[in-house]
Amino acid sequence: MIVRISGEGQFRLPDEDADRLNELDNRAVSAVEQGDETGFYELWSQMLELVARDGNVLDADELVESDVILPPRDIAFQEAQGEFTGNGLIPD
Amino acid sequence: MPGLGGRMSTVIKSKISRMLDRAEDPSETLDYGYQKQVEMLQNVKKGIADVVTAKKRLQMQSSKLEQSVVKLDTQARQALSQGREDLARMALERKTLAQTELQSLDSQIKELEGQQEQLTTNEQKLRQKIEQFRTKKEVIKAQYSAAEAQVRIGEAASGVGEEMADLGLAMQRAEDKTETMRARASAVEELEAAGTFDDITQLGGGQDDIERELQELTSGAEVDDELEKMKAELGTGSGADAPALEEGEGTQKEGSA
């Protein structure tokens, strides 16, 4: 799967990571919904770590769309409240 | 998408698709719209220039405040050595406020620097992708049937389109931040204009108002602490004529005068 970190670029991740990323994402949403800023940043850094650990930067000549686009690394909690919402990014 | 069982909830992607929808067919834009691309890259340059301008303004304020901090500190010491604790306190109140502003300005300047760097990198990346697209398109045309080529070029164009849209988002974000900082810079300028950071020899008729505001703005405890510290420092020197100076609590530093 192809993941973009907004403002940074695209990474190729093994498809197995999708479930893990999705789980972290769902937990991040509930943290945001509960106004749990510390919890959110903990999950957010886990998401970024996952991409950094398993992901390979896409070559410049690979022109493909991303499957998942993550918000900018330095997202503020207030912004997160807009980005991490219950609306699905990937339709079922 | 295959393999994704659940549902990702970040909405950034939908924001990006909305931006892509608003643009004309991305492959067309990339294919024929050289003018459009030049325009977009110019917009990015303008965005970067805005960030730089905002940063310069904050840097100017920051160096002014640094000067005020030094000056007010010196004046507080002078006032105290002449037994004018009231004036010393006033100078320290101003110094505390100036320091607080200074800290927040400095962290904002750093933030803007990061933003400027990121936009510059991304602009270069996009330029590169557009060039890649031009080359790739010709290769695809030569290798595939017309129908197949159209599909593949369309895919590649979406990839570049996403890059463009993401840069667009980054620009928006930078603009929002720059806007916030512009407001912040104006607020500091207003404080400056009101004489809030003036040294105490510059106090005019508005002194009472300013002094009252200062007392509200600065933390009394912080000023008290600093005043005590200064007294202790001066107390060890030739402060014999200073009236009723309390002894510093054990931590006596060598006085400078």
Side-chain angles (χ1 to χ4, degrees):
Chain A
M1 70 190 270
I2 309 292
V3 177
R4 173 185 291 278
I5 298 177
S6 185
E8 281 180 44
Q10 292 172 297
F11 302 83
R12 188 186 303 281
L13 268 76
D15 283 345
E16 303 89 82
D17 279 344
D19 285 342
R20 174 79 184 129
L21 201 57
N22 202 22
E23 185 214 324
L24 288 170
D25 188 67
N26 285 336
R27 285 169 60 198
V29 175
S30 49
V32 165
E33 276 167 1
Q34 286 159 26
D36 176 6
E37 192 170 340
T38 321
F40 166 75
Y41 278 116
E42 172 57 32
L43 291 159
W44 177 228
S45 73
Q46 283 182 37
M47 288 168 86
L48 292 172
E49 261 167 45
L50 182 75
V51 176
R53 194 186 58 220
D54 293 358
N56 291 310
V57 179
L58 233 60
D59 287 338
D61 64 347
E62 289 196 68
L63 306 175
V64 290
E65 254 187 294
S66 307
D67 300 302
V68 170
I69 300 177
L70 298 177
R73 181 177 294 271
D74 64 345
I75 188 167
F77 190 62
Q78 213 184 342
E79 286 177 287
Q81 289 171 319
E83 309 295 0
F84 286 80
T85 70
N87 294 326
L89 166 57
I90 306 292
D92 285 322
Chain B
M1 99 138 279
L4 255 189
R7 116 190 302 242
M8 287 276 175
S9 33
T10 48
V11 295
I12 271 246
K13 179 143 185 173
S14 62
K15 225 188 251 180
I16 286 199
S17 355
R18 252 181 285 129
M19 287 184 88
L20 282 175
D21 287 346
R22 238 184 286 144
E24 304 118 69
D25 176 9
S27 72
E28 210 158 86
T29 306
L30 291 163
D31 213 354
Y32 308 108
Y34 178 68
Q35 197 51 42
K36 264 236 131 57
Q37 290 163 31
V38 171
E39 238 169 65
M40 217 210 53
L41 289 172
Q42 273 168 350
N43 275 344
V44 178
K45 281 213 183 322
K46 196 185 151 293
I48 295 173
D50 283 348
V51 171
V52 172
T53 310
K55 194 181 77 180
K56 281 202 182 128
R57 188 169 168 198
L58 293 179
Q59 278 169 333
M60 248 164 59
Q61 287 187 332
S62 164
S63 69
K64 264 203 226 162
L65 280 176
E66 264 168 32
Q67 289 168 10
S68 296
V69 166
V70 173
K71 190 154 199 174
L72 287 165
D73 186 82
T74 312
Q75 290 188 330
R77 277 167 206 278
Q78 284 169 348
L80 203 55
S81 68
Q82 288 160 20
R84 291 292 308 270
E85 188 171 330
D86 56 335
L87 281 180
R89 176 177 294 276
M90 198 187 294
L92 285 180
E93 278 166 356
R94 280 165 193 243
K95 183 188 149 192
T96 307
L97 190 67
Q99 272 174 327
T100 311
E101 289 299 336
L102 197 57
Q103 274 168 9
S104 107
L105 281 182
D106 285 347
S107 73
Q108 284 175 331
I109 289 168
K110 274 206 201 88
E111 216 174 291
L112 284 181
E113 256 158 20
Q115 211 127 38
Q116 182 190 342
E117 219 171 276
Q118 202 187 39
L119 283 180
T120 310
T121 314
N122 288 353
E123 192 229 285
Q124 283 160 359
K125 217 191 272 175
L126 180 62
R127 231 179 243 280
Q128 213 181 337
K129 291 243 172 191
I130 289 173
E131 280 318 305
Q132 283 290 345
F133 177 80
R134 278 190 222 285
T135 317
K136 203 159 190 158
K137 189 170 46 98
E138 295 315 312
V139 175
I140 291 172
K141 274 186 193 158
Q143 279 179 349
Y144 296 92
S145 71
E148 176 78 344
Q150 204 178 359
V151 172
R152 284 177 184 260
I153 289 173
E155 279 167 5
S158 304
V160 183
E162 184 186 299
E163 196 79 36
M164 270 194 211
D166 191 45
L167 182 54
L169 275 188
M171 293 264 301
Q172 261 181 19
R173 207 161 171 261
E175 270 164 30
D176 288 350
K177 283 207 177 166
T178 316
E179 200 45 57
T180 316
M181 290 184 194
R182 238 179 247 140
R184 178 87 189 148
S186 302
V188 175
E189 267 158 24
E190 267 172 41
L191 283 177
E192 252 173 30
T196 315
F197 308 119
D198 281 357
D199 65 75
I200 54 177
T201 61
Q202 304 294 312
L203 291 181
Q207 177 176 347
D208 288 347
D209 280 351
I210 291 173
E211 185 52 22
R212 213 177 16 252
E213 267 179 63
L214 274 175
Q215 277 165 357
E216 281 166 18
L217 284 168
T218 53
S219 135
E222 208 172 315
V223 171
D224 285 343
D225 282 355
E226 188 149 12
L227 204 51
E228 287 308 314
K229 218 166 78 192
M230 221 172 243
K231 277 188 203 169
E233 282 176 27
L234 290 167
T236 60
S238 57
D241 56 340
L245 284 190
E246 289 155 30
E247 286 298 322
E249 290 117 277
T251 54
Q252 293 194 334
K253 287 184 210 151
E254 220 26 68
S256 55

